[in-house]
Amino acid sequence: MVSLKRYLNRTGEEVVLRQAVSLLLEKFASAAVVADERDFQAFRSDIEQLRAHADSDIAADGLLVDIGSATQALETYNRGITRFLHRQSAEMQSIVGMMTETVLKIGGEHTRSARRLQEIGDRMEGAGNVKDLVAMKSLLGDCLSSFRDETLRQKAEAENLIGDLRREIEATRERTGADTRDLDPATELPTRDACLRAMHGAVAGGKRSYVATMVVNRVQSINARFGHRAGDRVLHGFGEFVEQQLAPSDRLFRWTGPAVVALLERTEPLEDVRRQIRKMLEAHLDQTFEIEGRSVMIPVSAAWSVFPLITTVSTAERQINTFIASQHSHDFV
Amino acid sequence: MSTRIEKLSERISELEEENGNLRRLDETVRRNNALFNALLVNCSAGITLTGPDRRIVRVVRGLTGIDAAQLAGVPLELLVVPEDRDLVVECYRRLLRRTCEKTSFEARVPRADGTITRFSLTLTDMLDDPNVQGIVCNYVDLGCAAV
């Protein structure tokens, strides 16, 4: 309801002044920038109170006090907005910084995206208002989209590369006769089948080769006392040791049970090869196990035999098995 | 050619000597085994070899009448009455913690015929002996026991 009382004793200039003040305060409230919704509502509420006060029956000098208070409230509110915008800008800058760093780390192909992100980061430092930030957000979206496309492209490329590598590995495997799918789980050595393939390859290749059969002693006894896991560890350790000692052209295989077979490509006479194997297996291969807090040292040794691969593979296979069988009776529990 | 034949003859002589040594060694082992078995026949105590996890590796001489071949892999505590099993486990723990090298205890053991007898058992830690690498359980029968 409009009160007429306050207009009765007032001059025309005073009435115009009151209307101007009311209009000004209304504009203060409606034209303020909305950054934080809670701050904005608090500011509007303050201005509405001042406007109500100005509309009430107060003296002209009281109006000046209301205008002063409103201006102060506006200044405070604007400072809050500036702080809020700076905070948001800093946050976005740090996000852009992190993304740039990540993109650069991922790889050289993303340098274009990284450069764009850096540009956005630089422009963000100069951003002064919400509109600028909105524009930056849109640029960032574009950049992320191209980054995503680039990543998908790289993923497809990597898949192709993996496929090529797999085919290459298969081809190498066929060439060398080794098949990593045939690895023995306990020793991580190629199995007997891989050994037979390699022996066929060596016979066909016509190169001078020797077969060394090594039977780890007391594996059955170790299995019975300390469990099969301990026996497997002994075999694994033995295989690892022998592999380290052999020449790069030699190959080691898990034959069966406690036996491993090495295929040695050598030009030396048999006696020399025997001497090398004897020397290699003279080393102390003891292994220590922790069993329920108690450490137990297990001495590891092996019986061995070396013969030249000059006959057929089936004869060599028979010779290996005969030697292993002759050692079996020594491994009593 | 003649050098090769000479080398071959030399090698054959070496192998014959090696073979002769092995035969002598085999004979010694056989005799020692026979002696060991003969000594055991006249011994009233039982001997069982176990791993550190208490599983039976070999019954050298049994006293319960249970087939020794069936006991390989069976935890030793399962051969005593349930009330005495914790005692067996605790004795093994003491040995493995190295609080002692040898420990003795008494336990009630069911025999193959169903009767329960009291055994005096001694456990000896021989894990560090490369010829044994186990815990040796020696036991003597103390006679029938009330459960």
Side-chain angles (χ1 to χ4, degrees):
Chain A
M1 184 187 276
V2 180
S3 168
L4 293 174
K5 189 187 166 193
R6 57 193 167 128
Y7 296 110
L8 291 179
N9 300 320
R10 286 171 188 161
T11 61
E13 284 173 350
E14 203 182 326
V15 170
V16 171
L17 177 66
R18 280 180 188 279
Q19 283 175 343
V21 167
S22 178
L23 198 62
L24 186 68
L25 291 176
E26 192 189 333
K27 283 291 167 196
F28 267 25
S30 62
V33 175
V34 184
D36 183 90
E37 187 59 34
R38 219 168 40 182
D39 286 355
F40 177 68
Q41 290 304 336
F43 171 68
R44 274 190 74 159
S45 161
D46 288 349
I47 296 295
E48 282 304 326
Q49 275 178 18
L50 288 168
R51 200 175 151 209
H53 187 251
D55 281 349
S56 66
D57 192 15
I58 56 163
D61 52 355
L63 284 175
L64 290 174
V65 175
D66 284 347
I67 288 287
S69 303
T71 311
Q72 201 178 5
L74 183 63
E75 275 173 5
T76 311
Y77 180 65
N78 281 347
R79 270 199 300 276
I81 286 178
T82 310
R83 271 200 305 274
F84 178 82
L85 287 176
H86 278 161
R87 228 175 20 243
Q88 274 211 331
S89 173
E91 213 169 291
M92 284 185 82
Q93 267 185 54
S94 82
I95 290 169
V96 170
M98 276 195 308
M99 285 173 69
T100 311
E101 204 177 313
T102 311
V103 168
L104 283 172
K105 269 182 188 164
I106 286 172
E109 289 298 316
H110 286 303
T111 45
R112 210 156 47 89
S113 301
R115 236 188 341 264
R116 283 184 68 189
L117 279 171
Q118 265 170 350
E119 278 168 22
I120 293 170
D122 294 343
R123 284 176 70 175
M124 208 161 266
E125 276 180 39
N129 55 42
V130 176
K131 269 186 189 166
D132 286 346
L133 287 176
V134 170
M136 295 297 116
K137 199 177 165 190
S138 154
L139 276 174
L140 199 59
D142 290 346
C143 186
L144 282 178
S145 161
S146 65
F147 177 66
R148 210 166 22 239
D149 292 345
E150 182 62 35
T151 307
L152 287 173
R153 194 186 63 74
Q154 283 203 354
K155 191 184 164 205
E157 257 181 27
E159 278 169 0
N160 287 339
L161 185 69
I162 289 168
D164 289 347
L165 284 172
R166 277 209 181 115
R167 278 188 288 279
E168 186 69 28
I169 289 167
E170 284 294 325
T172 313
R173 218 181 258 156
E174 276 170 21
R175 273 201 307 276
T176 58
D179 192 341
T180 47
R181 282 173 305 184
D182 288 349
L183 283 185
D184 166 61
T187 56
E188 292 175 329
L189 292 174
T191 57
R192 176 189 180 132
D193 288 344
C195 182
L196 290 172
R197 279 199 298 276
M199 282 202 282
H200 276 293
V203 170
K207 284 185 183 171
R208 193 169 185 176
S209 301
Y210 295 94
V211 175
T213 309
M214 289 161 270
V215 181
V216 180
N217 293 326
R218 302 173 59 247
V219 171
Q220 213 177 311
S221 147
I222 292 164
N223 285 340
R225 284 160 173 78
F226 305 109
H228 283 78
R229 200 175 289 174
D232 286 351
R233 264 184 63 189
V234 166
L235 283 172
H236 188 274
F238 180 78
E240 236 174 27
F241 168 79
V242 173
E243 248 188 347
Q244 281 165 11
Q245 305 299 311
L246 293 178
S249 59
D250 299 338
R251 275 170 285 167
L252 187 67
F253 305 88
R254 167 92 187 263
W255 189 259
T256 179
V260 294
V261 169
L263 188 59
L264 316 167
E265 217 175 80
R266 308 280 170 90
T267 50
E268 300 103 307
L270 178 63
E271 277 314 303
D272 288 358
V273 180
R274 278 208 174 111
R275 202 173 303 119
Q276 287 164 19
I277 298 293
R278 186 181 298 118
K279 198 177 169 198
M280 174 178 82
L281 294 176
E282 269 171 5
H284 287 284
L285 305 172
D286 306 347
Q287 286 197 21
T288 304
F289 288 86
E290 274 293 316
I291 297 159
E292 296 197 29
R294 160 84 152 82
S295 58
V296 181
M297 199 189 67
I298 298 177
V300 180
S301 61
W304 57 273
S305 145
V306 181
F307 61 86
L309 186 60
I310 44 173
T311 52
T312 60
V313 172
S314 59
T315 310
E317 192 181 357
R318 208 168 33 247
Q319 276 178 282
I320 295 170
N321 288 336
T322 307
F323 177 70
I324 295 168
S326 72
Q327 297 305 308
H328 185 71
S329 58
H330 299 177
D331 191 5
F332 60 89
V333 172
Chain B
M1 186 70 173
S2 62
T3 326
R4 278 192 181 178
I5 291 171
E6 265 176 36
K7 267 192 175 178
L8 203 59
S9 307
E10 230 171 78
R11 183 76 187 127
I12 289 169
S13 308
E14 274 173 25
L15 287 173
E16 273 175 351
E17 195 188 332
E18 220 169 275
N19 206 19
N21 285 340
L22 285 173
R23 223 176 288 131
R24 278 191 293 277
L25 194 66
D26 191 44
E27 179 61 22
T28 310
V29 170
R30 204 188 54 74
R31 261 190 290 124
N32 280 343
N33 269 344
L35 176 68
F36 181 67
N37 287 332
L39 290 173
L40 276 183
V41 168
N42 296 312
C43 175
S44 60
I47 308 166
T48 292
L49 182 65
T50 75
D53 60 354
R54 306 182 298 280
R55 287 184 189 280
I56 293 171
V57 174
R58 191 149 55 116
V59 178
V60 181
R61 183 179 155 78
L63 297 181
T64 57
I66 301 169
D67 181 11
Q70 286 179 5
L71 294 175
V74 176
L76 188 76
E77 69 266 25
L78 293 189
L79 299 187
V80 305
V81 297
E83 292 80 359
D84 292 345
R85 284 176 190 166
D86 286 346
L87 178 65
V88 178
V89 174
E90 186 45 37
C91 285
Y92 268 84
R93 286 204 183 126
R94 273 211 303 271
L95 277 184
L96 293 175
R97 282 199 300 261
R98 288 180 186 263
T99 50
C100 54
E101 279 190 0
K102 198 178 268 211
T103 180
S104 298
F105 59 98
E106 282 185 16
R108 289 157 291 180
V109 181
R111 299 170 61 96
D113 61 9
T115 57
I116 293 175
T117 188
R118 187 171 282 276
F119 274 12
S120 166
L121 301 102
T122 301
L123 300 175
T124 311
D125 180 351
M126 296 187 80
L127 286 165
D128 289 330
D129 185 331
N131 297 310
V132 183
Q133 288 221 297
I135 290 176
V136 178
C137 178
N138 296 94
Y139 40 96
V140 286
D141 192 342
L142 299 176
C144 282
V147 178

